[in-house]
Amino acid sequence: MKGESDFIDALRRRVDTGTRGRGDAESTASPRLPVTVSSSLVIGIGDDAAVFRSTAGKETVITADLLVEDIDFRRTTTSPYLLGHKSLAVSLSDIAAMGARPLWSIMSIGVPEDVWQTDFVERLYDGVLDLANRYSVQLIGGDTSRTTENIVIDSIVAGEATAGMSVLRSGASVGDQIFVTGSLGAAAAGLRLIERGAHLAEQNLADEDSQKLDHILLRQLRPEPRVGWGIVLGEERLATSMIDLSDGLSSDLNRVCSASGVGALIDSSLLPIDERVIELCGRRALDPLQLALHGGEDFELLFTVKPANATRLPRRVDGVGIKCIGTIQSASEGVKISEGPRAWELKPGGWKHF
Amino acid sequence: MKGESDFIDALRRRVDTGTRGRGDAESTASPRLPVTVSSSLVIGIGDDAAVFRSTAGKETVITADLLVEDIDFRRTTTSPYLLGHKSLAVSLSDIAAMGARPLWSIMSIGVPEDVWQTDFVERLYDGVLDLANRYSVQLIGGDTSRTTENIVIDSIVAGEATAGMSVLRSGASVGDQIFVTGSLGAAAAGLRLIERGAHLAEQNLADEDSQKLDHILLRQLRPEPRVGWGIVLGEERLATSMIDLSDGLSSDLNRVCSASGVGALIDSSLLPIDERVIELCGRRALDPLQLALHGGEDFELLFTVKPANATRLPRRVDGVGIKCIGTIQSASEGVKISEGPRAWELKPGGWKHF
């Protein structure tokens, strides 16, 4: 079966060829229209975002996320406001993972006729704009279109970094320490609980268990992108590589290792598994470690740091802490997870689009 | 019934408010993260594309077009290659209508599982890349995602213009001459013929009628954005206002007049109706004038020019000519079309998404 990443690799090769083949385009262009290229592609397709040199001393990073009803979300288990928030959040998370500062967004939305006749789209943009305003991200455009049945949302966010300072997946070296922000597992736990019929209480949170459940559900429905951490790690040159945990730690760590040509050893006892997940999951036959490793959608940042720089890391940014979970090894060591004295290969077990 | 343009107006007002309300975001941001805005919104949502000041002396224009299967195209009446071409073409056309030079594209594609298993997506990108390479447009990213049933494509293109020289819809003045590029009506004729079962012959074009039919069908299936004209009209400051004819001359001229606060009088005898449409439509009970006025998807440029500048217009750019079809009048005259000595109000009669 063909996977999305194979396709992206193939497309990247073709796009690179297209870029090199620019001479052809020049020769067929009208002589009135000299071909001048004022932006040059630096990375192209395949990292968390595309990067290109824009202004002198700056590079622009751009990311796109296509969200499709009944694949990425269900209309019945979220609200338009939360859906708008999440649509922007997933793209802001990609920009954070590049160590860049988000600047603007384009949000295209397709909805069927019956949804258009409600206030769904307005409420969705409420969610987009509230989150955008928190980070001074400008919503500069987007298309609205009719669909036959399902809602689709394409979320584009562009950000800016100092030239050469976007943090790629490919920069990890042997000996680097591996960190994650925040906590793991709640988003995946939330998805499974929603699938079993759980829903937000919100109103009546005197009850402590309801508060914990809401926290878990909101990690799925209203993820908070680590925008502040992304900017700090990029601008202070602290991270050697970075990715956001959208598909799950196991998949995303393997991506970093593959792009960097290295291996990794993480320690299961160091994983910052969400405490409320541990507490609630025991009663619900969910395995917190599996959720934290393979669950996805936590939208925390996974990044690597030279040991000498580890002490320069802030303890918290925007109230969110970090945890060292392991070390980058040589590629021949593979990507592994230890549990006490034993270590196993950590295979990608996260969400696959195809 | 709520229309798309009402919604866009409402959104623009809200986004403008959000921009002014920036102080709120600053006060909640971490003190480590001073909010600096390195790009400022100039136009925002509602023209052919959003415009913002980027580099000193330059402005960036960005447009998004969401194409949905069974709304904007049918899988059975086009090819993946042509669909890829058209997806990029419609956005290039918006950039041309801003008088800007296209630079890069982001193309997000959602397809159902069965389509993913074919070479559909690769062939679609063939069409995108062939057109992109013609204009040295870089494909810098995009997301691929699964859908439950229908294909969706979101096409983003960014271009660049000299600061203050993007050509808006709002710049037409009384006395300006109204021009269109190329010819009108074939794209709409093509759509109607395709709906009646016509398809491309391509292989065997000895027969003159087949050639003409293919020409008409290709105007629908493979529209050619007027990129060269857009650049010339923008860079030489020749157009006072501009729009691309995506929804039909009647709708799009009314948009220019409304944005500019003017009226217009066009002469039906001056409309450059496609000759092959006139020839074939007579036999097929289609009215060429109605197709040219209300049909849409010709993706020609409609622009206004000060009479003193009309002689400076090139005759052809990239082999495509232009035609003067009327004059901008005061708003009190309304938007009218003359046929001999008589004139009628020209109401928007083109395609509406909602």
Side-chain angles (χ1 to χ4, degrees), chain B residues 20-136:
Chain B
R20 283 198 301 274
R22 172 155 300 132
D24 298 338
E26 278 182 29
S27 61
T28 57
S30 155
R32 285 191 64 99
L33 306 170
V35 174
T36 57
V37 178
S38 58
S39 70
S40 62
L41 189 67
V42 180
I43 304 303
I45 293 163
D47 213 280
D48 289 294
V51 181
F52 59 97
R53 197 64 48 86
S54 44
T55 329
K58 293 285 181 187
E59 55 199 23
T60 299
V61 302
I62 303 201
T63 186
D65 290 281
L66 188 62
L67 288 89
V68 180
E69 185 179 359
D70 291 339
I71 303 283
D72 300 293
F73 63 90
R74 289 185 196 281
R75 211 185 299 183
T76 49
T77 58
T78 187
S79 72
Y81 182 92
L82 292 173
L83 183 57
H85 173 102
K86 185 166 178 174
S87 301
L88 182 61
V90 299
S91 298
L92 288 176
S93 181
D94 284 324
I95 297 299
M98 301 297 288
R101 180 184 295 274
L103 293 180
W104 52 257
S105 163
I106 294 172
M107 193 70 65
S108 293
I109 300 182
V111 296
E113 180 65 30
D114 60 319
V115 173
W116 181 258
Q117 296 303 333
T118 69
D119 64 354
F120 188 97
V121 177
E122 284 86 344
R123 294 293 79 75
L124 190 147
Y125 274 113
D126 284 338
V128 172
L129 288 170
D130 281 357
L131 180 60
N133 287 339
R134 265 168 56 193
Y135 296 112
S136 296

Side-chain angles (χ1 to χ4, degrees), chain A residues 1-4 7-8 11 14-15 18-19 22 25-26 28-30 32-41 44-45 50 52 55-56 62-66 68-72 101 103-104 106 108-113 116-119 121-122 125-126 129 133-136 138-150 152 154 156 160 228 231-232 236 314 316-318 351 353-354, chain B residues 1-4 7-8 11 14-15 18-19 22 25-26 28-30 32-41 44-45 50 52 55 62-66 68-72 101 103-104 106 108-113 116-119 121-122 125-126 129 133-136 138-150 152 154 156 160 227-228 231-232 236 314 316-318 351 353-354:
Chain A
M1 191 171 137
K2 188 167 61 166
E4 187 186 3
F7 172 70
I8 289 173
L11 181 60
R14 294 175 59 194
V15 170
T19 307
R22 171 156 299 130
E26 280 183 27
T28 56
S30 154
R32 284 192 65 99
L33 306 170
V35 174
T36 57
V37 178
S38 58
S39 70
S40 62
L41 189 66
I45 293 164
F52 60 97
T55 329
I62 302 200
T63 187
D65 289 280
L66 189 62
V68 180
E69 184 181 359
D70 292 339
I71 303 285
D72 300 292
R101 181 184 292 276
L103 293 179
W104 53 256
I106 294 171
S108 293
I109 300 182
V111 296
E113 180 65 29
W116 181 258
Q117 295 304 331
T118 69
D119 64 354
V121 176
E122 284 85 346
Y125 273 113
D126 284 338
L129 289 170
N133 287 339
R134 265 169 54 194
Y135 296 111
S136 295
Q138 294 184 331
L139 184 64
I140 63 166
D143 193 17
T144 53
S145 184
R146 189 158 60 95
T147 64
T148 49
E149 201 169 325
N150 282 344
V152 292
D154 194 33
I156 315 280
E160 193 174 67
I231 295 170
V232 169
E236 315 253 327
R316 304 179 87 76
V317 173
D318 293 340
W351 170 255
H353 292 288
F354 288 101
Chain B
M1 191 171 134
K2 189 169 60 168
E4 186 186 6
F7 172 70
I8 289 171
L11 181 59
R14 295 175 59 193
V15 170
T19 305
R22 172 155 300 132
E26 278 182 29
T28 57
S30 155
R32 285 191 64 99
L33 306 170
V35 174
T36 57
V37 178
S38 58
S39 70
S40 62
L41 189 67
I45 293 163
F52 59 97
T55 329
I62 303 201
T63 186
D65 290 281
L66 188 62
V68 180
E69 185 179 359
D70 291 339
I71 303 283
D72 300 293
R101 180 184 295 274
L103 293 180
W104 52 257
I106 294 172
S108 293
I109 300 182
V111 296
E113 180 65 30
W116 181 258
Q117 296 303 333
T118 69
D119 64 354
V121 177
E122 284 86 344
Y125 274 113
D126 284 338
L129 288 170
N133 287 339
R134 265 168 56 193
Y135 296 112
S136 296
Q138 294 184 331
L139 184 65
I140 63 166
D143 193 18
T144 53
S145 184
R146 190 157 61 95
T147 64
T148 49
E149 203 170 325
N150 282 344
V152 293
D154 193 34
I156 316 280
E160 192 175 66
V227 174
I231 296 171
V232 168
E236 316 255 326
R316 304 180 87 76
V317 172
D318 294 339
W351 169 256
H353 292 287
F354 288 99

Side-chain angles (χ1 to χ4, degrees), chain A residues 60-215:
Chain A
T60 299
V61 302
I62 302 200
T63 187
D65 289 280
L66 189 62
L67 288 89
V68 180
E69 184 181 359
D70 292 339
I71 303 285
D72 300 292
F73 63 90
R74 291 185 195 282
R75 212 185 301 181
T76 48
T77 58
T78 187
S79 72
Y81 182 92
L82 291 173
L83 184 58
H85 173 101
K86 185 166 178 174
S87 301
L88 181 61
V90 299
S91 298
L92 288 176
S93 182
D94 284 325
I95 296 300
M98 301 297 287
R101 181 184 292 276
L103 293 179
W104 53 256
S105 162
I106 294 171
M107 193 70 65
S108 293
I109 300 182
V111 296
E113 180 65 29
D114 59 319
V115 173
W116 181 258
Q117 295 304 331
T118 69
D119 64 354
F120 187 97
V121 176
E122 284 85 346
R123 294 292 79 76
L124 190 147
Y125 273 113
D126 284 338
V128 172
L129 289 170
D130 281 356
L131 180 59
N133 287 339
R134 265 169 54 194
Y135 296 111
S136 295
V137 169
Q138 294 184 331
L139 184 64
I140 63 166
D143 193 17
T144 53
S145 184
R146 189 158 60 95
T147 64
T148 49
E149 201 169 325
N150 282 344
I151 298 165
V152 292
I153 303 164
D154 194 33
S155 167
I156 315 280
V157 175
E160 193 174 67
T162 304
M165 281 168 69
S166 296
V167 184
L168 306 182
R169 297 176 180 177
S170 54
S173 309
V174 175
D176 287 359
Q177 294 180 352
I178 305 167
F179 286 84
V180 289
T181 59
S183 64
L184 303 174
L191 179 61
R192 277 152 191 77
L193 295 176
I194 288 166
E195 283 169 352
R196 295 180 190 179
H199 51 81
L200 290 174
E202 286 191 307
Q203 306 300 323
N204 205 334
L205 293 184
D207 162 23
E208 232 183 75
D209 266 10
S210 295
Q211 283 177 22
K212 286 172 189 163
L213 181 59
D214 262 24
H215 163 86

Side-chain angles (χ1 to χ4, degrees), chain A residues 242-256:
Chain A
M242 186 148 54
I243 193 168
D244 70 320
L245 296 178
S246 53
D247 291 344
L249 177 61
S250 58
S251 297
D252 292 323
L253 176 60
N254 270 283
R255 287 198 179 103
V256 167

Side-chain angles (χ1 to χ4, degrees), chain B residues 24-349:
Chain B
D24 298 338
E26 278 182 29
S27 61
T28 57
S30 155
R32 285 191 64 99
L33 306 170
V35 174
T36 57
V37 178
S38 58
S39 70
S40 62
L41 189 67
V42 180
I43 304 303
I45 293 163
D47 213 280
D48 289 294
V51 181
F52 59 97
R53 197 64 48 86
S54 44
T55 329
K58 293 285 181 187
E59 55 199 23
T60 299
V61 302
I62 303 201
T63 186
D65 290 281
L66 188 62
L67 288 89
V68 180
E69 185 179 359
D70 291 339
I71 303 283
D72 300 293
F73 63 90
R74 289 185 196 281
R75 211 185 299 183
T76 49
T77 58
T78 187
S79 72
Y81 182 92
L82 292 173
L83 183 57
H85 173 102
K86 185 166 178 174
S87 301
L88 182 61
V90 299
S91 298
L92 288 176
S93 181
D94 284 324
I95 297 299
M98 301 297 288
R101 180 184 295 274
L103 293 180
W104 52 257
S105 163
I106 294 172
M107 193 70 65
S108 293
I109 300 182
V111 296
E113 180 65 30
D114 60 319
V115 173
W116 181 258
Q117 296 303 333
T118 69
D119 64 354
F120 188 97
V121 177
E122 284 86 344
R123 294 293 79 75
L124 190 147
Y125 274 113
D126 284 338
V128 172
L129 288 170
D130 281 357
L131 180 60
N133 287 339
R134 265 168 56 193
Y135 296 112
S136 296
V137 169
Q138 294 184 331
L139 184 65
I140 63 166
D143 193 18
T144 53
S145 184
R146 190 157 61 95
T147 64
T148 49
E149 203 170 325
N150 282 344
I151 298 164
V152 293
I153 303 164
D154 193 34
S155 167
I156 316 280
V157 175
E160 192 175 66
T162 304
M165 281 168 69
S166 297
V167 184
L168 306 182
R169 297 176 180 176
S170 54
S173 309
V174 175
D176 287 358
Q177 294 180 354
I178 305 168
F179 286 85
V180 289
T181 59
S183 65
L184 302 175
L191 180 61
R192 279 153 189 76
L193 295 175
I194 288 166
E195 283 169 353
R196 295 181 190 179
H199 51 81
L200 290 173
E202 286 189 309
Q203 305 300 323
N204 206 334
L205 293 183
D207 162 21
E208 232 182 74
D209 266 10
S210 297
Q211 283 177 21
K212 287 173 189 164
L213 181 59
D214 262 22
H215 162 87
I216 290 174
L217 299 181
L218 285 171
R219 284 297 305 251
Q220 166 60 219
L221 298 172
R222 196 187 63 197
E224 295 299 342
R226 301 312 187 195
V227 174
W229 268 111
I231 296 171
V232 168
L233 293 168
E235 292 188 350
E236 316 255 326
R237 293 179 184 263
L238 289 165
T240 55
S241 73
M242 184 148 56
I243 194 170
D244 71 320
L245 296 177
S246 52
D247 291 344
L249 177 60
S250 58
S251 296
D252 293 322
L253 176 60
N254 269 284
R255 287 200 178 103
V256 166
C257 289
S258 167
S260 298
V262 297
L265 178 63
I266 63 168
D267 182 338
S268 63
S269 71
L270 296 177
L271 293 177
I273 303 177
D274 191 294
E275 283 174 21
R276 282 151 287 203
V277 171
I278 296 172
E279 210 176 313
L280 269 79
C281 284
R283 305 180 222 155
R284 286 174 171 85
L286 291 169
D287 180 345
L289 181 60
Q290 294 301 313
L291 292 172
L293 284 177
H294 309 302
E297 294 207 282
D298 283 320
F299 296 105
E300 299 292 356
L301 296 174
L302 173 83
F303 58 97
T304 55
V305 176
K306 298 238 159 292
N309 281 333
T311 54
R312 290 177 54 214
L313 290 168
R315 291 210 174 169
R316 304 180 87 76
V317 172
D318 294 339
V320 177
I322 49 174
K323 188 86 182 283
C324 180
I325 62 166
T327 313
I328 295 294
Q329 315 258 48
S330 71
S332 60
E333 303 282 332
V335 179
K336 289 186 178 150
I337 180 164
S338 68
E339 209 170 346
R342 297 184 301 175
W344 290 274
E345 193 184 348
L346 181 65
K347 291 187 182 168

